[in-house]
Amino acid sequence: MADVRMQLVVRARGMLSHALGATRARLAAARADLETAQDRLIRTREAARRLPPRVGAERDRRVAEIGDQHAAQIAALAKQAAEAAERAAPGAGGAAWADWRPSPVVRGEPPGWLRIGSIRLPDAEPVPALVPLLDHGHIHVSGDNRAGCDAVVSTLLLRALGQAAPGAVRLIGYDPEHLGGGLAGFAPLSTAGLLTFVGPGGLAHLLDDLTDHIRRINETVLAGEHGSLRELAAATGRRPEPWRVAVLLGGDELSRHERGQLDRVIRTGAACGVHLVVRGIDLPDEPTVERIVVDPGDTQLSGGAGLSVRLDRPPPAHLVTETCRQVAAEVAAGPPPAPFTDLLPPDDQLWREDSAAGLTAPIGDGPLGRPVLLTLGDYPPHALIGGPSGTGKTNLIFAWIGALASRYSPNELEFYLLDFKEGVSFARFAQGRRDPSWLPHMRLVGINVNTDREFGLALLRFLAEELRRRADAAKRHEVTKLSELRSVDPEGRWPRIVAVVDEFQMLLAGRDAVAREAADLLEDLARRGRSQGIHLVLASQDVRGIEALWGRPALVAQFTLRIALPKALRILAERNDAAQTLPRHHAVVNAESGMVEGNQIARIPSASDWGTWSELQHRLWRMRPADAAPARLFDGDAIPRLADAPDYAALRPLDGPGGRDAAGATRTAGSARGPVALLGEIIDVQARSAGLRLPRAPGRNLAVLGTRVDEACAVLDAAARSLARQHQPGAARFSIACLDPDADVSARSLYEALDADTAWYDEETVPELMAETATGLDHGSAPGQPHYLLLYAVDAAAGRLAARVGQRTGLEHLRHILHNGPERRTHVLAWWRGVARMRADLGGPASRTDQIGAWVALDVQGGELTSSLYPGNGGPDWYPRPWRGLFFDRAVHRTGQVIIPYGPSA
């Protein structure tokens, strides 16, 4: 009995070694205990032989006791083996068919073994019978049980498919006897190109293709850096090539050439992801070949210590076909994007790159698993990105920004971002209410600027000024390029600048002054920016955006780096249609102006969701320099507040010693420059306020023109509050006349907020205000206390002002104040609900308007602002839009300035 149990122990050890593949810590300890028990059993049996007969009973008892111990150890070892088998063949590799579903391994992780049945031991639970395939070797199935052989093949293939991501396993069928009938259940895979059949007589060609594929993998993918695709995947976390499983189901005697090619595949295929599942063809005895012999009632595995395997039932036919359909559908829908982390360097390599010679970062994986790099430098200097809506243009921009920002510090790289489409996806790069972090490299983020082309123009002007500054520095140091400037001026701060303009065609739309100047600036920046480290990245989802450039060949020629997303048109060269067949999450990268020979296909990671970006941004934010400031965020849909304006915070009283104006210059009450009335935020790169200086000079009055009550009130409100901030309490007078009931709430709010020396007038009392003020001007011999007249809808009182008050009518008093008041520190800030109404109050259509030195036009067409108000003929290129105004100051501007009125202060 002890001999039998000893044999079972030995066979169990062999079976477990085969079933689990590798020795595990727990099994090694159990086996050591088992070997100790075996040695003890042998010593006991030898000692028993020397015992006299009278102690034979004791000998038998002891032997039986040791045998029971061995049986217990076998049961414990079998239990451990079953638990380890679940880990060795998890999920789809070992699950019962009733609960089976695909469970792809994590990227870079090796696939597990595959269960085909179980091994039963006396007094122990069954142990799963596992065989290796993917990344291990080949399987040869033989035996007289044809149905059992078919079951093993279908089991292996379905479990292998379930272990891998959709599309990561490709099957090649060679079934000359049944013409593919042996793989009929897997036929749905053929619709996605995952299953191909080779007809009779095609074995030689199939083996030639497999050997050529193995050669290519060794030469171009492994390239001497890794011994196998499995090692490459473990080292990089990426598997660049799918597994190829050739299923050879019998055939004629192999020719000498076929035999030679088959032997080569057996020896070298597993390292390159090429595997064979063979039935009916002899295979050589190689370590990479696992043999399964299926005979009626008895199945054995090579190296299985002679133990029999009880095969599992074959997978249900509906499970095979449904799984294959699902896999094919997912592959047809396109591969999933790669993880964003693929683009990032190791943590200890963050911000280690130098941008003196250029910027280089990966954008995704190429077909061979190697990264596809994007470079911005002397060549290529600028990039053009194109792709229809939904093809991942924004995601690609995010991925590129992340790859660059993780490699180059803010001292090496700065970003300026502008998005002309509606949306706030770029806002995450700036400081927000939900997330206080920001990307340290980001200097400007403009969102929702689809109706504010002036902001795009402001960015180009800013870049042009920066280009001039860098060019001047290069001349002083007698160099020509940024890399040379950085070498001769190491103390200077000369980061490379990347300006990204999404939907840039909006900037060039129309035939107005904005489009013309923008096109000229773009061309100049594209031509000269390369040498000074200023790089443009223009993106568009509309072919019209690209067509807007074709009329300027000198501009297009500078954009030698082209990135085309699926179905993109006119990004690449005319005869380069590579983008038309791209799957999702891919792009054509071409640094040769779109010529076919420059094509590289890259799989773009998913980088645009909040969670993906948040971790990287917070990490870089914590690394930011001590003097880093948040990026300027311009949101075209947001209404700025006066209290948040930097220029408003800088205002100080001018009426006493030490007073300073918004520019920081010391002022006094008698200063010729006078206080400044802030009217709104300029659409500009810096968060600057539009200001109207009110010195003692003719014409220093303001007219607000238009019918939009809220915006007109907002302009007057901001002007009054900013003026009040520049005077000591009681040092200036404010007179508020509200003549439109719709403006009453806003005017009352201002009246209550200003100093006590503020007077309120309505339609009945406004003539008195005009008369008193005009009379005071006539009798005042010296400039007195500053006096600001805030007139809401002054044209509404035209009837009352037409009446005579003293020697003049009310309108004549108003004209007198406008003409003579500024020199005596009396200024009118008035709202007229139309240009014609203002002209009528000033004396008629032919009247002069030079006493109105500045105006803000709201819902007024540019054609109404004729030469008497605006220089030139035909008025400015101005089209009204909500909560925007055109500000023009005769003393300062050559052209109008678009502003955003500050929102209500209350």
Side-chain angles (χ1 to χ4, degrees):
M1 178 178 177
D3 291 340
V4 173
R5 293 190 181 278
M6 176 68 72
Q7 293 175 6
L8 288 174
V9 169
V10 174
R11 294 173 69 189
R13 290 174 61 196
M15 176 276 299
L16 292 170
S17 175
H18 170 79
L20 299 176
T23 303
R24 300 180 184 275
R26 293 177 60 189
L27 293 179
R31 288 174 186 169
D33 293 342
L34 187 58
E35 290 173 356
T36 301
Q38 286 176 316
D39 293 338
R40 188 166 62 251
L41 176 61
I42 293 172
R43 291 194 300 272
T44 301
R45 292 181 62 187
E46 292 177 350
R49 293 192 187 98
R50 296 192 294 269
L51 291 174
R54 66 177 178 275
V55 294
E58 178 63 19
R59 176 197 64 190
D60 294 341
R61 186 187 66 78
R62 293 290 304 277
V63 170
E65 181 180 337
I66 294 174
D68 292 341
Q69 293 176 354
H70 277 252
Q73 288 177 332
I74 290 174
L77 190 59
K79 182 178 180 181
Q80 293 180 7
E83 294 172 352
E86 291 183 3
R87 296 190 295 272
W97 296 127
D99 302 321
W100 191 90
R101 60 180 54 86
S103 57
V105 295
V106 179
R107 293 176 73 252
E109 292 293 324
W113 288 32
L114 310 176
R115 171 179 172 143
I116 63 170
S118 59
I119 301 173
R120 298 184 180 277
L121 299 174
D123 304 322
E125 294 292 327
V127 176
L130 310 180
V131 294
L133 180 59
L134 302 181
D135 278 346
H136 290 87
H138 317 281
I139 294 178
H140 183 266
V141 183
S142 62
D144 296 332
N145 186 348
R146 177 59 181 270
C149 291
D150 291 342
V152 169
V153 171
S154 60
T155 295
L156 292 173
L157 297 182
L158 184 60
R159 290 194 184 279
L161 284 170
Q163 280 187 332
V169 171
R170 299 183 181 179
L171 305 180
I172 307 161
Y174 175 68
D175 187 9
E177 294 182 7
H178 296 84
L179 301 178
L183 299 175
F186 297 88
L189 294 174
S190 61
T191 61
L194 302 179
L195 172 61
T196 56
F197 287 101
V198 177
L203 181 60
H205 183 68
L206 166 60
L207 294 175
D208 288 343
D209 286 346
L210 293 179
T211 53
D212 285 345
H213 177 74
I214 294 169
R215 177 187 53 77
R216 181 183 66 82
I217 294 296
N218 280 317
E219 290 178 358
T220 62
V221 180
L222 300 179
E225 297 181 16
H226 301 280
S228 67
L229 290 177
R230 178 174 181 169
E231 291 182 10
L232 186 151
T236 64
R238 301 189 294 269
R239 186 179 183 88
E241 290 283 340
W243 289 281
R244 287 169 170 80
V245 180
V247 186
L248 311 182
L249 302 179
D252 300 329
E253 186 70 24
L254 270 60
S255 67
R256 181 176 180 180
H257 173 75
E258 291 171 340
R259 175 58 62 182
Q261 294 291 65
L262 181 64
D263 291 348
R264 293 184 181 93
V265 174
I266 293 295
R267 290 194 307 270
T268 62
C272 297
V274 176
H275 305 279
L276 302 178
V277 175
V278 180
R279 191 195 71 215
I281 300 176
D282 291 335
L283 297 185
D285 290 329
E286 292 283 347
T288 56
V289 177
E290 175 71 30
R291 299 184 184 275
I292 305 174
V293 181
V294 184
D295 288 325
D298 184 25
T299 298
Q300 294 193 353
L301 309 178
S302 58
L307 292 176
S308 295
V309 175
R310 180 178 179 179
L311 293 177
D312 291 336
R313 292 184 300 105
H318 70 87
L319 182 61
V320 175
T321 55
E322 288 177 4
T323 300
C324 292
R325 287 195 186 100
Q326 179 182 352
V327 170
E330 293 187 32
V331 172
F340 178 53
T341 52
D342 285 358
L343 300 183
L344 307 182
D347 289 349
D348 60 352
Q349 296 299 313
L350 293 173
W351 291 1
R352 293 293 186 89
E353 300 292 332
D354 187 296
S355 68
L359 302 165
T360 300
I363 194 60
D365 287 342
L368 302 180
R370 300 185 183 278
V372 175
L373 302 178
L374 293 182
T375 296
L376 290 174
D378 289 344
Y379 186 89
H382 313 291
L384 195 59
I385 303 173
S389 177
T391 56
K393 177 168 53 65
T394 301
N395 178 76
L396 185 145
I397 293 173
F398 271 75
W400 196 0
I401 290 175
L404 288 170
S406 59
R407 285 168 171 78
Y408 299 93
S409 73
N411 289 327
E412 301 287 333
L413 169 64
E414 290 182 347
F415 287 111
Y416 292 79
L417 233 62
L418 200 59
D419 188 359
F420 272 101
K421 66 179 182 296
E422 296 184 45
V424 296
S425 56
F426 288 164
R428 70 188 62 181
F429 298 121
Q431 191 175 38
R433 293 187 299 272
R434 184 175 71 166
D435 186 353
S437 72
W438 69 87
L439 190 65
H441 311 69
M442 201 63 61
R443 304 313 315 139
L444 172 72
V445 178
I447 59 175
N448 292 315
V449 294
N450 48 304
T451 60
D452 289 314
R453 294 184 302 137
E454 295 85 359
F455 190 78
L457 183 59
L459 172 60
L460 296 182
R461 288 171 175 167
F462 172 84
L463 295 177
E465 177 61 25
E466 177 64 17
L467 176 61
R468 184 199 60 76
R469 187 180 74 88
R470 294 184 176 208
D472 289 346
K475 289 178 183 178
R476 288 196 304 272
H477 290 87
E478 299 181 343
V479 296
T480 59
K481 298 192 301 185
L482 181 71
S483 57
E484 298 170 347
L485 176 61
R486 289 179 52 155
S487 65
V488 299
D489 185 21
E491 300 302 321
R493 188 177 185 276
W494 305 108
R496 288 192 178 266
I497 291 175
V498 176
V500 182
V501 184
D502 196 6
E503 301 303 329
F504 71 94
Q505 73 275 4
M506 298 292 295
L507 184 58
L508 303 178
R511 298 180 179 272
D512 56 9
V514 172
R516 291 191 294 271
E517 184 179 357
D520 291 339
L521 288 172
L522 268 177
E523 188 167 341
D524 184 59
L525 287 167
R527 181 170 51 85
R528 298 195 299 130
R530 62 195 305 168
S531 61
Q532 302 304 332
I534 298 177
H535 307 284
L536 302 174
V537 177
L538 305 184
S540 176
Q541 69 181 17
D542 192 334
V543 68
R544 290 175 300 176
I546 309 304
E547 290 175 343
L549 298 178
W550 293 150
R552 293 177 173 263
L555 174 59
V556 177
Q558 302 300 325
F559 289 82
T560 52
L561 177 58
R562 313 282 178 85
I563 305 173
L565 293 159
K567 308 301 181 184
L569 298 174
R570 304 203 69 180
I571 290 291
L572 306 175
E574 184 176 354
R575 297 184 179 180
N576 189 351
D577 59 356
Q580 303 310 305
T581 57
L582 278 181
R584 289 190 310 162
H585 315 302
H586 284 68
V588 179
V589 175
N590 189 304
E592 302 298 334
S593 299
M595 301 302 292
V596 174
E597 54 269 21
N599 285 352
Q600 295 186 79
I601 307 299
R603 183 166 67 128
I604 310 302
S606 175
S608 58
D609 64 279
W610 175 264
T612 299
W613 248 102
S614 181
E615 181 180 354
L616 174 64
Q617 180 161 306
H618 277 82
R619 193 187 319 164
L620 300 181
W621 180 63
R622 290 190 292 269
M623 296 169 57
R624 70 191 185 279
D627 59 348
R632 149 87 156 134
L633 175 62
F634 176 84
D635 185 353
D637 285 351
I639 299 176
R641 297 176 64 251
L642 177 66
D644 299 331
D647 288 333
Y648 180 74
L651 293 175
R652 297 293 184 271
L654 310 178
D655 306 288
R660 293 181 178 272
D661 66 3
T666 303
R667 300 285 173 244
T668 63
S671 171
R673 287 177 59 86
V676 58
L678 303 184
L679 310 176
E681 181 179 285
I682 301 172
I683 297 183
D684 196 8
V685 172
Q686 290 89 12
R688 297 184 298 144
S689 298
L692 171 63
R693 285 283 178 190
L694 297 178
R696 292 174 51 206
R700 292 291 83 195
N701 302 299
L702 173 71
V704 181
L705 306 172
T707 61
R708 292 200 285 253
V709 176
D710 291 343
E711 297 170 30
C713 292
V715 174
L716 294 180
D717 185 275
R721 291 175 188 267
S722 56
L723 288 170
R725 190 177 177 88
Q726 297 166 77
H727 295 287
Q728 298 286 354
R733 294 173 54 207
F734 290 86
S735 297
I736 300 176
C738 183
L739 309 172
D740 185 342
D742 292 338
D744 188 72
V745 173
S746 176
R748 288 282 182 184
S749 175
L750 176 63
Y751 172 72
E752 294 171 359
L754 292 180
D755 184 72
D757 193 9
T758 302
W760 177 267
Y761 297 86
D762 55 22
E763 186 176 357
E764 294 182 358
T765 58
V766 69
E768 299 176 9
L769 168 63
M770 300 303 172
E772 292 174 0
T773 305
T775 302
L777 294 176
D778 290 337
H779 295 91
S781 59
Q785 185 184 46
H787 185 194
Y788 303 105
L789 281 70
L790 295 139
L791 310 179
Y792 288 74
V794 61
D795 55 286
R800 288 189 175 274
L801 292 177
R804 185 172 296 277
V805 181
Q807 297 181 351
R808 306 184 184 97
T809 66
L811 287 175
E812 290 173 340
H813 285 307
L814 173 61
R815 296 165 195 159
H816 184 71
I817 296 169
L818 289 169
H819 191 271
N820 299 298
E823 296 183 75
R824 295 184 177 279
R825 304 184 70 191
T826 298
H827 306 275
V828 174
L829 293 87
W831 163 35
W832 278 275
R833 293 173 298 182
V835 176
R837 294 191 176 208
M838 181 187 72
R839 288 187 178 279
D841 287 350
L842 295 181
S847 61
R848 295 179 58 84
T849 59
D850 52 359
Q851 66 267 45
I852 303 294
W855 46 260
V856 175
L858 299 173
D859 55 339
V860 174
Q861 297 295 332
E864 298 181 55
L865 304 169
T866 56
S867 58
S868 61
L869 289 172
Y870 194 84
N873 297 320
D877 287 328
W878 163 248
Y879 59 96
R881 50 203 194 268
W883 213 265
R884 296 294 184 271
L886 183 66
F887 171 49
F888 181 76
D889 185 344
R890 297 175 188 270
V892 177
H893 298 144
R894 289 191 306 166
T895 60
Q897 191 174 57
V898 180
I899 67 171
I900 307 174
Y902 288 115
S905 299

